[in-house]
Amino acid sequence: MNIDMIEAAAARAKGHVRRTPLLGSSFLDELAGRRILVKAECLQHTGSFKFRGAWSALSALKDASGVIAFSSGNHAQGVALAARMHGLPSVIVMPADAPALKIANTRAYGAEVVLYDRYSESREAIGEELARDRNLTLIRPYDEPLVIAGQGTCGLEIAEQAAELGVTEADLLVCCGGGGFTAGVALALEGSKLRVHPVEPEDFDDTARSLVAGTRLGNGDATSICDAIVTPAPGEITFPIVQRLCGPGLVVSDDEVLRAMALAFQRLKIVIEPGGAVALAAALFRDIKAETVIATASGGNVDHGMFARALATL
């Protein structure tokens, strides 16, 4: 993994991947006591940054007869749309308890959806078996170099947009599950003064704990409203990159996530799902010394019931 792969992914993305805005609000600055900028990847195609990695991987494929992916929803939608745009069939393995909106959207993009129990079955085993049986190319959600490179294109954009606003030094908080987004952004910004930190929900802070321990640690059997970033453990490829390039991880509560979702809607006029709001929650409610904090709003695919819970915190 290197910057050349990310720049190549950015070249393939031109005309296909949106350059999402970097937003700010004086109301949020006052609340946090620092300048906050929000990279609105919730406005990306399919409603999350995951389209970047999906497009990067599929646009580099040669002679594929179809693709398969496993995902709680955002990678699923990204791969489904990218496959349709490339004229390829797709099969997506999704947890049965994924938000109904994500399952419905994935099917609407033309994918065949295979549901599984995330607490008793292995999505990796199901995906690998289907890939073998149907001769499909597996597009992993984070432990795949081409996917990581695609996510890194967001880091290139953040650096450009921050510089346009006069920001060359800041803490950059990235919503973190398996670590593909965090690793890609950190690689894109290596050597800059934008310091990347992973952010996770309580009880699924495997990356933060792994960074402290110096080795990959897993999660237990807890549940979280942040379905998009609930993963068993940091990725085998992603963790060494995060370990080398990122600062300590931050952890936020469900209540802080819901409040961040509501404030993003009220002050920035954007819709963020729980997993996509953890970075903003940390920017707002954690003691961070940097004068400027950039937070990724990584996705906006939220069911109306969950969004209503968030708005009720206002």
Side-chain angles (χ1 to χ4, degrees):
M1 293 299 310
N2 55 57
I3 190 64
D4 293 339
M5 292 181 66
I6 296 172
E7 290 175 345
R12 295 195 305 276
K14 286 183 180 178
H16 305 285
V17 174
R18 286 177 181 154
R19 188 178 194 262
T20 55
L22 190 64
L23 305 174
S25 163
S26 59
F27 293 101
L28 297 184
D29 295 349
E30 183 176 358
L31 176 63
R34 65 186 67 88
R35 187 180 189 184
I36 292 180
L37 298 171
V38 178
K39 180 61 168 169
E41 282 294 288
C42 51
L43 302 179
Q44 187 55 257
H45 292 301
T46 72
S48 94
F49 76 95
K50 289 285 192 176
F51 181 75
R52 294 178 182 271
W55 182 267
S56 173
L58 270 80
S59 62
L61 286 181
K62 292 180 174 59
D63 303 321
S65 59
V67 296
I68 185 169
F70 41 80
S71 165
S72 63
N74 286 335
H75 181 62
Q77 294 172 84
V79 170
L81 178 58
R84 189 177 76 180
M85 293 168 70
H86 283 85
L88 292 172
S90 61
V91 177
I92 309 295
V93 181
M94 301 182 69
D97 63 348
L101 176 67
K102 294 182 178 181
I103 295 173
N105 284 354
T106 303
R107 287 179 171 140
Y109 289 129
E112 174 190 346
V113 174
V114 176
L115 300 177
Y116 77 101
D117 184 341
R118 76 164 87 212
Y119 302 107
S120 64
E121 296 179 287
S122 167
R123 66 182 189 177
E124 288 84 359
I126 294 170
E128 288 168 2
E129 181 179 358
L130 286 170
R132 287 193 305 269
D133 291 347
R134 301 196 194 182
N135 191 31
L136 301 172
T137 299
L138 178 61
I139 309 295
R140 298 181 184 276
Y142 47 85
D143 253 349
E144 163 53 55
L146 286 169
V147 169
I148 296 169
Q151 319 306 23
T153 64
C154 186
L156 297 180
E157 288 181 17
I158 289 172
E160 293 170 358
Q161 293 168 312
E164 290 167 2
L165 296 173
V167 175
T168 57
E169 184 172 358
D171 278 1
L172 173 50
L173 310 186
V174 180
C175 307
C176 185
F181 194 20
T182 308
V185 169
L187 280 168
L189 299 176
E190 183 175 5
S192 77
K193 292 185 178 180
L194 300 180
R195 300 170 294 273
V196 177
H197 297 264
V199 186
E200 300 165 290
E202 287 181 348
D203 298 323
F204 286 92
D205 57 340
D206 47 294
T207 296
R209 289 184 290 106
S210 297
L211 288 172
V212 172
T215 189
R216 293 168 62 236
L217 301 176
N219 290 309
D221 296 327
T223 59
S224 173
I225 64 172
C226 301
D227 63 281
I229 54 175
V230 169
T231 52
E236 293 181 10
I237 297 174
T238 60
F239 181 67
I241 299 170
V242 173
Q243 187 178 35
R244 181 171 66 88
L245 297 178
C246 294
L250 300 170
V251 182
V252 294
S253 70
D254 282 358
D255 287 344
E256 290 167 331
V257 165
L258 292 169
R259 191 172 175 211
M261 292 168 63
L263 288 168
F265 178 74
Q266 182 184 51
R267 300 304 185 188
L268 300 175
K269 312 309 177 189
I270 57 175
V271 173
I272 316 178
E273 65 188 277
V278 294
L280 178 57
L284 290 169
F285 307 126
R286 289 293 171 272
D287 183 17
I288 299 172
K289 302 304 182 185
E291 292 184 3
T292 300
V293 175
I294 303 171
T296 60
S298 59
N301 294 306
V302 57
D303 285 348
H304 63 83
M306 182 62 69
F307 197 60
R309 277 183 62 184
L311 295 182
T313 66
L314 290 174

